[in-house]
Amino acid sequence: MLRPRRCKLCLRRSYPAHLPSWFPACRNAAVNMTPTNHDSKDTKEVASPSPKIFADEKKTDTGLSSSDSGSVSQESLVDTDGYGSTNDHIFSDPAVADHWRTTYENVNYENRHRFDPSFTWSAEEERKLVKKIDRRIMLWAWIMFCGLDLHRRNINRAITDRMLEEIGMDTNDFNYGQTLFLASFLVAELPSGLISKRVGADRWIPFLICSWSIVAGSQAFLKTKAGFYVIKVLLGFLMGGFIPDIVLWLTYFFKSNELPTRLAWFWTALSTVNIVGSLLAAGILKMRGIGGWSGWQWLFLLEGIVTLLIGTFSWVLMPPGPCQTRNWFRGKDGWFSDREESIIVNRLLRDDPSKGDMNNRQGVGLVLLWKTIKDWEMWPLYLIGLTTYIPPSPLNTYMSFILRQMGFGVFEANLMAIPAQFMFAVNLLIITWVSKRFKERSIVSSISNIWMFPFFVALVAYPNASPWARYGIMTGLLSYPYCHAILVGWNARNSNAVRTRAVSAALYNMFVQSGNILASNIYRDEDRPFYVRGNRILLGIVCYNIVQFYFVKAFYIWRNKLRDAKWNELTPEQQEDYTLNSEDEGLKRLDFRFAH
């Protein structure tokens, strides 16, 4: 069966990026189907028409095969991984192409000069180019994230070196400081995202990194509890917007189905920093006495210098977008050839046309902001973010501190955290691969809390376990498969518009930080040394989280069924009228389906 031809109904103001590009937009098409998620396991397969052969191939200066007209041979254009162009895509209909070309011109989309509905490329070209983007963009994003997490986590290692006692603090004071940090982190998320969208992530993120490096390094001069609180607030304000800002920046280079895998590698920075940070701390903390300083003071100063260098280089290693890589540092020809820029832009827009409906330096106004907040069908994902990461957070913060109370030395306590962090990274990559392989988000993500359940049961049931048994339980618990990459990609997928995506990323992370605030106050000083009461609370949250994932899946299945029913009640003429004239946009459109 050949793919059905598109009718005028394909002319959509916000074509849902997650739908198959061959999906028939009306019920009088050759195959009667309703709009569906491209991840859906019951999507009907259709054969593609015979490919058209383009001749006159030659090698370009980049070593990629091409023709003078920008076309390449179609014999092997698309591979099993989806790389390569096809003749049948959203812009195959001239009316659709003209509509989006006008949209891109009206909003002054920065890559609009590379938009070409007739442009073709091979799978080999795209595969090589994606690897190049990984090296140029993804690697530096990962390094910048390491610069963030190094200062988020080094406080956990500093407190193993008598830092709290030396500045007159106890566990509860430390918790209050962490709460202030997380609260300011939360407050900064949305304003930072709006500023980044207006001035550009390539300008805003380097400024943030340099600023927090200077503030974090100043912790070396702490003398009082009040000073500790002030610095934690400043750090929270400066770090708060980094993650949603960097995720939005990555969407300028990667397709939606590529993002979760990249984010999984992105979040390996957490375990990498914990491993490398533990090794560094084991050595730096032994500098106690040099220059009359404690080891924790040297730790803050030296790591602040390292991340300041990262921030400085970020000014020249973060291009605004794929067609804006030319400058004095990146070279007069930039990182990508003209043909490579065309491949990047057209593959992104064919995956999601809405990625060009705003300029990358166009701000989100109050009206659009309020529209995004009112998108209530996104809120189940925000609620998942609120509680999912609470259970492992207190133990992750206090593990080295607990090991010190169990009798292990400063050096040993820091090194003993490494095995859990290594397994954490491995399981993060595995669970993200499983989600992509089986095209399942909610059920796979629930595995993270299912994993933690038996370990929390053990901590609660055996509060007097031997030191090594307790260490084994804690290590197993903190090796859990981290589902954050899946959830961030899920959030971006369901946003379905640049405006929504920019704000929803910040809102999601605000809920995550709200959960971290709750988590930072679960282990209390009077519950030392093994925090049995706190572990009982965390066990209850784990049980709630498992149920919540399945509830959210059921919720989105229900919402999709309601939309199916409403869409199928319309006549073909009404469907066409809705498509051409409806003011609905983003996830409000009847032809949009939620991923789950």
Side-chain angles (χ1 to χ4, degrees), residues 138 141-142 145-146 148-149 152-153 242-244 246-247 250 259-274 389 421 424-425 428-429 432 482-489 508-509 512:
M138 196 66 237
W142 182 85
F145 190 26
C146 287
L148 171 80
D149 210 55
R152 284 201 302 183
R153 309 294 176 184
F242 174 82
I243 293 177
I246 202 73
V247 170
L250 291 175
L259 195 58
T261 302
R262 268 70 191 177
L263 291 177
W265 284 101
F266 179 72
W267 265 288
T268 62
L270 300 178
S271 52
T272 301
V273 167
N274 272 319
Y389 314 109
Q421 297 305 320
F424 172 90
L428 163 62
L429 296 175
T432 307
Y482 191 49
C483 62
H484 198 37
I486 300 173
L487 296 183
V488 170
Y508 170 79
N509 277 282
V512 172

Side-chain angles (χ1 to χ4, degrees), residues 10 18 27 56 61 118 121 126 140 194 208 268 329 331 448 450 475 495 516 527 542 564 579:
C10 292
H18 59 282
R27 290 185 297 180
D56 302 325
D61 58 351
S118 63
W121 61 92
E126 185 172 356
W140 191 252
L194 297 177
L208 293 179
T268 62
F329 188 87
S448 62
I450 293 173
T475 298
S495 298
N516 287 336
D527 200 20
V542 164
D564 286 341
T579 303

Side-chain angles (χ1 to χ4, degrees), residues 96-111:
V96 176
D98 289 343
H99 166 75
W100 283 104
R101 182 180 288 107
T102 301
T103 299
Y104 301 151
E105 290 291 341
N106 290 341
V107 300
N108 198 30
Y109 173 48
E110 67 277 2
N111 302 318

Side-chain angles (χ1 to χ4, degrees), residues 315-591:
W315 287 104
V316 292
L317 290 175
M318 284 188 70
C323 299
Q324 299 165 298
T325 62
R326 297 166 180 81
N327 76 353
W328 66 271
F329 188 87
R330 297 186 292 267
K332 64 178 182 179
D333 296 325
W335 287 346
F336 306 114
S337 67
D338 291 348
R339 178 170 178 79
E340 288 173 326
E341 288 182 357
S342 294
I343 294 174
I344 295 174
V345 172
N346 285 284
R347 79 189 199 98
L348 290 176
L349 294 179
R350 292 178 194 182
D351 174 65
D352 183 354
S354 70
K355 284 189 175 181
D357 65 8
M358 288 185 76
N359 186 274
N360 62 7
R361 300 205 195 283
Q362 180 182 351
V364 176
L366 292 178
V367 174
L368 294 179
L369 174 62
W370 179 240
K371 278 186 178 181
T372 304
I373 295 175
K374 290 195 302 180
D375 287 337
W376 65 274
E377 288 163 312
M378 290 294 295
W379 280 68
L381 281 176
Y382 301 156
L383 294 177
I384 283 180
L386 176 66
T387 60
T388 294
Y389 314 109
I390 290 178
S393 182
L395 186 59
N396 193 43
T397 299
Y398 280 99
M399 183 173 180
S400 295
F401 188 68
I402 292 173
L403 292 173
R404 287 280 287 131
Q405 295 179 91
M406 289 163 56
F408 296 101
V410 175
F411 184 81
E412 293 82 3
N414 281 285
L415 292 184
M416 289 170 73
I418 292 177
Q421 297 305 320
F422 174 78
M423 288 305 303
F424 172 90
V426 172
N427 284 332
L428 163 62
L429 296 175
I430 290 174
I431 195 173
T432 307
W433 177 86
V434 170
S435 176
K436 182 178 180 181
R437 173 66 178 79
F438 293 98
K439 300 177 181 177
E440 174 57 53
R441 295 169 176 83
S442 52
I443 294 176
V444 173
S445 296
S446 70
I447 295 174
S448 62
N449 276 263
I450 293 173
W451 174 289
M452 289 182 276
F453 177 79
F455 295 105
F456 273 116
V457 169
L459 288 175
V460 171
Y462 302 102
N464 297 316
S466 67
W468 283 107
R470 179 173 294 277
Y471 168 68
I473 294 170
M474 292 190 298
T475 298
L477 193 157
L478 294 180
S479 300
Y480 72 103
Y482 191 49
C483 62
H484 198 37
I486 300 173
L487 296 183
V488 170
W490 187 4
N491 184 76
R493 168 77 71 178
N494 281 357
S495 298
N496 198 45
V498 173
R499 177 263 306 170
T500 310
R501 195 173 293 123
V503 178
S504 66
L507 289 175
Y508 170 79
N509 277 282
M510 289 174 69
F511 275 79
V512 172
Q513 296 311 317
S514 298
N516 287 336
I517 292 174
L518 298 175
S520 67
N521 289 282
I522 290 178
Y523 281 4
R524 306 294 296 173
D525 195 60
E526 58 272 17
D527 200 20
R528 291 171 60 183
F530 302 132
Y531 307 102
V532 177
R533 183 186 64 195
N535 288 331
R536 290 197 187 102
I537 296 173
L538 295 173
L539 177 59
I541 296 174
V542 164
C543 296
Y544 166 80
N545 286 339
I546 295 171
V547 174
Q548 180 178 228
F549 274 108
Y550 289 88
F551 171 81
V552 171
K553 183 175 182 66
F555 171 80
Y556 283 128
I557 291 174
W558 170 61
R559 296 304 299 168
N560 286 345
K561 287 183 176 179
L562 288 181
R563 293 188 179 204
D564 286 341
K566 290 181 180 179
W567 182 258
N568 290 330
E569 288 175 356
L570 301 177
T571 64
E573 293 75 17
Q574 289 173 325
Q575 290 176 358
E576 181 172 5
D577 180 70
Y578 174 87
T579 303
L580 297 176
N581 301 311
S582 175
E583 296 297 325
D584 293 345
E585 60 182 12
L587 55 84
K588 293 296 185 183
R589 294 190 60 84
L590 284 178
D591 47 12

